[in-house]
Each structure stands twice: as structure tokens, then as C-alpha cells.
Amino acid sequence: MSARILAITGALLAVVCRTAHADADVYRWVDERGGIHYSDRWVPGSELIRSSKPHPPNPEAEAARRAAEQSKLQASNDHVANQLGQQAAVQAVKQDVAKAREQQCKDAKEKYEKAIQARRIYTTNKAGEREYISDEQADSYRLQARNEVQSACGSVKEPTVQ
């Protein structure tokens, strides 16, 4: 009976060893003379032929994969940073344009207010002397000033009478 148990134990042990060995990783490499070698252990310069467990093929390949991923991430980060910079620049331009329009509107309103409140409107000649314009020309000047306010501001607020 003990021989029978010993035989069964030996057979089971052989099956377990064969199965465990069949699941081992297999590496292939070529030596300096061109000879091809296979092993269940990694050797520098070897490549994984078959694997029983999920892990990187070899340290060099894993390092190359990580470097490629880092490069892609850096490129993506640079792209996003560039887009954010462009959006900030566009926003700054919009703010600058709004300030310029606000100043143009303010200047046009001041010119219109002065034209409305002035009894007589004059121009300065080359000699630096005042030349008063006719009432028709003054009305035309005031109308032009009002149109400039509408153009710069979008609407005209009627001047207040004091």
C-alpha cells in the first residue's frame, strides 16, 4: 500500500512540476558569436518570447514606453498651456478694445456737449485767430457731433438743460 501511495504521490508531483515549468517565462538572446540561447531568466539584451504573467517585456522596453508616455503628456500640457495663453490674450484684447471705445464715447459726448452749450462755434485759422462759423455751419457741426456720439456710444443721451 505504501508503494502505491508513493507512486501516486510521485505521479502528482511530476504533473505539478511539469505544469509549473510550462507556465514559466521564456527569454531569447543572441550571444556575441551569434549563438541563439533560450532561458527562463532574463539576461541583458534578451527579449521575452512567452510569458505566463502580465509584466513588461523587459526593463528597457518599459523605460522606452514610459518616456514616450511622458513625451505625449508634455506635448499635451504644452498644447493646453498654449490654448490658455491664447484665450488670455484674446480676453486682454477685448478689454483693451472696450476701454478704447469707452474713451472714444466719452470724448464724443464731451465734444457734443460743448457744441450744444456753445452759443457760437469757431475754428482757428493758420494765424491762430478765431473765425466764427455761421449758424447753418454750427447746426451742421452739432449734427455731426451728435452722429459721432451715436457711432461711438450707440445712442445719444440728450444733454441736460441747466
Side-chain angles (χ1 to χ4, degrees):
M1 178 94 122
S2 69
R4 193 174 201 193
I5 292 175
L6 189 58
I8 291 174
T9 304
L12 284 175
L13 195 58
V15 169
V16 168
C17 287
R18 181 175 276 175
T19 304
H21 187 65
D23 288 342
D25 293 342
V26 178
Y27 294 93
R28 176 182 182 268
W29 77 94
V30 179
D31 64 15
E32 58 276 349
R33 289 188 237 144
I36 298 174
H37 300 277
Y38 295 91
S39 175
D40 61 345
R41 295 188 184 153
W42 181 81
V43 176
S46 65
E47 63 178 320
L48 182 65
I49 300 296
R50 193 183 99 179
S51 177
S52 61
K53 50 193 172 232
H55 58 75
N58 61 44
E60 292 94 7
E62 180 65 16
R65 185 187 64 77
R66 285 185 184 164
E69 285 180 4
Q70 287 292 334
S71 176
K72 286 179 185 178
L73 284 174
Q74 186 62 41
S76 177
N77 287 344
D78 291 345
H79 180 69
V80 168
N82 187 21
Q83 284 181 332
L84 290 175
Q86 287 178 351
Q87 288 174 353
V90 166
Q91 190 64 25
V93 167
K94 285 180 181 179
Q95 289 174 349
D96 291 345
V97 167
K99 285 179 185 177
R101 286 185 179 162
E102 186 177 315
Q103 185 62 42
Q104 290 170 349
C105 177
K106 181 181 173 186
D107 293 345
K109 283 181 180 179
E110 286 177 9
K111 178 181 175 183
Y112 180 61
E113 286 290 326
K114 287 180 183 178
I116 293 297
Q117 292 179 6
R119 291 185 183 202
R120 299 207 52 200
I121 298 175
Y122 64 88
T123 59
T124 306
N125 64 16
K126 291 181 181 180
E129 298 172 347
R130 291 183 180 181
E131 291 182 1
Y132 290 94
I133 60 177
S134 68
D135 288 339
E136 293 86 22
Q137 290 173 327
D139 289 341
S140 176
Y141 177 80
R142 290 180 182 114
L143 182 59
Q144 178 186 359
R146 185 175 198 282
N147 289 338
E148 288 175 6
V149 170
Q150 285 179 328
S151 175
C153 304
S155 67
V156 175
K157 180 180 174 187
E158 295 299 327
T160 56
V161 177
Q162 295 177 352

